[in-house]
Amino acid sequence: MSALAILRTESFVTIASDGAAYDGSTGNLMAVVSKVAVMPEWSCIFANRGMGGATAVMQAELQLLAVRGDTIRDFDDVLDRIPALAERMHRDALATPGAPTAHFSFFIGGYSEQRQRIESYTVRTRPVGDRPAFDLIGLQDIHLAPYPSPEAAARAGITRPQELPHGHETVAEDYAVRAVAACRLDRETDEGEGATGIHFVGGLLQLTTLYRGATFTRIVHRWPDPIGEPIDPTRGELLPALD
């Protein structure tokens, strides 16, 4: 559910995300929330699609481990623990009566002290190609979830990653914001994420960027989406005033 863009450069990783929490069967907006965890103590940021609240639960689980004496020193230690924690979260969700969905995908960025570089990964409750569920999978420099349609991408002023010419450079934060905004124009097509045909991106646009020694998060745009109504992409300006 909803849209994320995670882009990595040599000096930082950035996540753009919307803030729509909605009823997957009707598309009615239920709340506007942040979907990003900022963990500067471990040089880490992450967000999720799918099951509502998964990011907050994962952040709480990691912090609980640390409080109980588990040695979590940095991003590399977080990466070691997220797959098993995600699998346990998924089992707990499956055992919860009435849960709207138990599936989720995490998108994680941070600075690896072991490898001395910015990295980005995903962990998912479903297999990806030949990779099993809950495997830690490295991401390309640009990763969008989902990919906007070509028409929506064009209206937001970007070219989709698979159509960019080889060696093309993007302005990472600008591109991430536009990619999420583009998905606001599209309708859901994956029945596993919600009823097909609903609009699924709304509320706000949040941009979170991590450098080796600093992390910043800010709301760069808000859409006037009323609580209790279906998301309507014609409401408000599609994009913030970008330089």
Side-chain angles (χ1 to χ4, degrees):
M1 295 180 182
S2 298
L4 293 170
I6 179 167
L7 278 75
R8 186 182 72 247
T9 73
E10 289 186 0
S11 58
F12 66 86
V13 59
T14 191
I15 295 175
S17 57
D18 81 308
Y22 58 89
D23 184 321
S25 61
T26 66
N28 289 346
L29 187 68
M30 300 166 61
V32 178
V33 299
S34 171
K35 301 177 183 179
V36 184
V38 180
M39 307 188 79
E41 67 272 33
W42 296 322
S43 294
C44 180
I45 57 177
F46 60 88
N48 84 281
R49 293 186 74 228
M51 186 175 73
T55 292
V57 173
M58 177 61 76
Q59 183 173 20
E61 290 288 340
L62 288 164
Q63 291 170 334
L64 184 60
L65 286 177
V67 168
R68 289 177 173 174
D70 192 0
T71 303
I72 305 178
R73 297 157 298 190
D74 53 29
F75 177 60
D76 299 295
D77 290 335
V78 170
L79 292 179
D80 287 342
R81 288 156 180 78
I82 277 185
L85 288 173
E87 188 167 7
R88 189 177 76 191
M89 286 171 55
H90 181 57
R91 288 198 305 268
D92 290 347
L94 288 173
T96 302
T101 178
H103 288 290
F104 52 84
S105 304
F106 282 117
F107 300 90
I108 311 149
Y111 183 80
S112 168
E113 293 290 345
Q114 291 180 15
R115 292 171 290 281
Q116 295 286 294
R117 66 188 186 194
I118 297 288
E119 297 180 341
S120 54
Y121 297 89
T122 185
V123 173
R124 307 186 187 194
T125 58
R126 294 169 171 155
V128 180
D130 60 353
R131 305 290 290 272
F134 308 108
D135 209 5
L136 188 68
I137 302 172
L139 295 175
Q140 299 292 323
D141 292 352
I142 301 174
H143 185 84
L144 311 183
Y147 288 105
S149 66
E151 297 79 14
R155 285 183 59 185
I158 61 169
T159 301
R160 299 191 305 169
Q162 61 267 47
E163 292 145 8
L164 285 170
H166 180 70
H168 178 85
E169 294 186 3
T170 64
V171 178
E173 290 186 326
D174 178 90
Y175 188 98
V177 166
R178 290 177 182 274
V180 171
C183 291
R184 179 171 167 83
L185 301 172
D186 288 334
R187 294 180 181 273
E188 184 60 74
T189 59
D190 182 355
E191 292 181 355
E193 296 290 351
T196 56
I198 64 174
H199 289 288
F200 55 93
V201 172
L204 57 79
L205 251 172
Q206 184 172 3
L207 187 67
T208 305
T209 302
L210 179 141
Y211 295 83
R212 180 178 182 181
T215 308
F216 306 92
T217 190
R218 59 195 188 275
I219 306 304
V220 299
H221 193 51
R222 295 183 187 273
W223 291 298
D225 296 317
I227 302 296
E229 296 183 18
I231 294 169
D232 181 351
T234 66
R235 288 189 173 116
E237 296 295 327
L238 178 64
L239 291 163
L242 298 166
D243 295 331

